Amino acid sequence: MKTHLILNGKKASLISVRDAISKTRNNGLELEIRVTYEGGDVERLVKEAIREGVKKLVIGGGDGSTNEMVNALMKYPKNKRPILAILPLGTANDFATSCGISQDSYEALSLVNTGEIQAIDVAKANDRYFLNIATAGFGAEVTATTPVELKNFLGGGAYTLTGVLRAIGFEPYQVAMKTENESGFGDVLIGAVCNGRQAGGGQVLAPDAYLNDGYLDILILKKIGATELLDAIAEVENPSRDTKYIRRFKTKWLEIESQNNIIPVNLDGEPYKSKNIRFEVLQQEIKIVLPDRCKLLK
């Protein structure tokens, strides 16, 4: 099966990646390499691959690269989209890690031929798409303002560190929320809309989320004071305990409207801003290569 690897240009010179490509080719994978250089390259390369009849596309990069690939694929009818596979090369690789895709480049590329092909849901925020998790409000600002150098040095811990330092005194967003079952108004410090389970370098936000159940898992952190911060973090990390500051629920769609500021959102690593956002789940939109018995499948 003809396969293209669309490789983030910043990772193309890694010896581990080049060795993995050579070994995988020697084992029979018909793999052609396309390297990105600037914004818009992923969309262009996806277009070229579809025109050439490529059946599988591997994205080599982090969560942001995967997000860019998904948004490019969603521009085409479902029956024209190639099967997606992932070569994790980012700092956190939250989506790939939670799916059980190896961080070893050779093992990840070997999975392209040996893994199971599954149809999974795609989440949508207005006119943008994401596979894993959208964080809104303070959570998105943390990610946007964490320097790249700090992310690389501390890994996922940079998100937590920066978040704790900035949480005290942060003013919440006043939002109106609506789902298929309810509507209301409240103060929100952090919101997470989850198709997958973890973000921020390994923080599990939605332990009961599945990629093929037709639902979004929502987490909302209400306004807290400095003395409540540790209790709130404990609730996030221990979802089975009684919750005072955290609310969790499942829904097919969620509409939020800010009553004060524009809401910053982070879609799988990609920034987005709006005062009105409709999140919804699109069922079984993309076929993806996953390990056998992937725990994110229902």
Side-chain angles (χ1 to χ4, degrees):
M1 182 181 292
K2 190 173 183 180
T3 303
H4 282 189
L5 165 60
I6 298 179
L7 183 59
N8 185 312
K10 296 177 181 178
K11 308 295 182 179
S13 61
L14 292 175
I15 298 299
S16 58
V17 173
R18 300 175 71 89
D19 287 348
I21 291 171
S22 296
K23 289 175 64 177
T24 306
R25 282 173 164 171
N26 290 337
N27 288 339
L29 179 62
E30 185 183 349
L31 188 65
E32 295 185 16
I33 314 301
R34 304 290 186 269
V35 179
T36 67
Y37 179 75
E38 58 191 355
D41 279 354
V42 170
E43 183 175 342
R44 175 178 58 81
L45 293 171
V46 167
K47 182 178 181 179
E48 291 177 2
I50 291 175
R51 187 171 60 238
E52 294 176 24
V54 174
K55 300 302 181 183
K56 279 186 181 178
L57 281 175
V58 185
I59 183 65
D63 291 314
S65 296
T66 301
N67 178 270
E68 195 174 355
M69 172 73 89
V70 169
N71 276 271
L73 289 173
M74 291 299 290
K75 292 181 179 293
Y76 298 90
K78 188 185 297 189
N79 63 351
K80 291 186 178 294
R81 297 172 198 151
I83 299 164
L84 174 65
I86 298 174
L87 170 60
L89 296 173
T91 302
N93 301 309
D94 279 299
F95 181 76
T97 299
S98 61
C99 288
I101 298 172
S102 176
Q103 306 297 295
D104 178 88
S105 293
Y106 173 66
E107 291 181 7
L109 285 178
S110 297
L111 184 69
V112 174
N113 268 351
T114 62
E116 293 187 347
I117 298 172
Q118 300 283 351
I120 63 170
D121 302 337
V122 172
K124 187 177 183 182
N126 289 347
D127 60 347
R128 299 276 296 275
Y129 301 92
F130 61 100
L131 271 189
N132 191 33
I133 291 177
T135 53
F138 163 67
E141 288 203 345
V142 168
T143 307
T145 58
T146 301
V148 172
E149 293 80 8
L150 184 57
K151 289 182 189 177
N152 291 337
F153 182 69
L154 296 176
Y159 299 104
T160 304
L161 174 64
T162 310
V164 170
L165 291 176
R166 297 186 61 231
I168 299 173
F170 186 86
E171 288 300 318
Y173 291 85
Q174 299 172 346
V175 298
M177 292 182 288
K178 185 179 181 180
T179 73
E180 68 263 38
N181 297 316
E182 62 180 293
S183 60
F185 178 85
D187 291 339
V188 175
L189 186 63
I190 298 174
V193 179
C194 309
N195 189 42
R197 292 188 180 178
Q198 72 179 48
Q203 177 64 60
V204 177
L205 299 177
D208 298 323
Y210 293 93
L211 296 173
N212 60 348
D213 64 351
Y215 284 94
L216 299 171
D217 284 54
I218 312 298
L219 178 148
I220 295 174
L221 173 60
K222 305 169 187 176
K223 182 179 180 180
I224 57 174
T227 59
E228 301 165 317
L229 179 61
L230 292 179
D231 288 338
I233 292 173
E235 286 187 5
V236 173
E237 295 177 343
N238 299 279
S240 61
R241 61 178 284 175
D242 293 337
T243 56
K244 180 179 179 183
Y245 310 105
I246 302 292
R247 187 183 173 210
R248 300 175 188 268
F249 60 92
K250 289 179 178 284
T251 183
K252 292 182 180 296
W253 58 268
L254 167 70
E255 293 179 353
I256 59 173
E257 179 181 356
S258 174
Q259 305 299 300
N260 48 6
N261 300 320
I262 292 176
I263 303 171
V265 179
N266 185 285
L267 307 172
D268 292 348
E270 297 303 303
Y272 178 70
K273 288 186 177 183
S274 180
K275 292 193 76 170
N276 303 280
I277 306 174
R278 177 183 170 88
F279 295 97
E280 58 184 307
V281 64
L282 307 177
Q283 290 186 257
Q284 300 187 6
E285 282 290 322
I286 283 181
K287 290 184 177 180
I288 187 171
V289 180
L290 294 172
D292 294 345
R293 296 180 294 279
C294 173
K295 65 183 179 180
L296 267 67
L297 297 178
K298 196 162 189 175

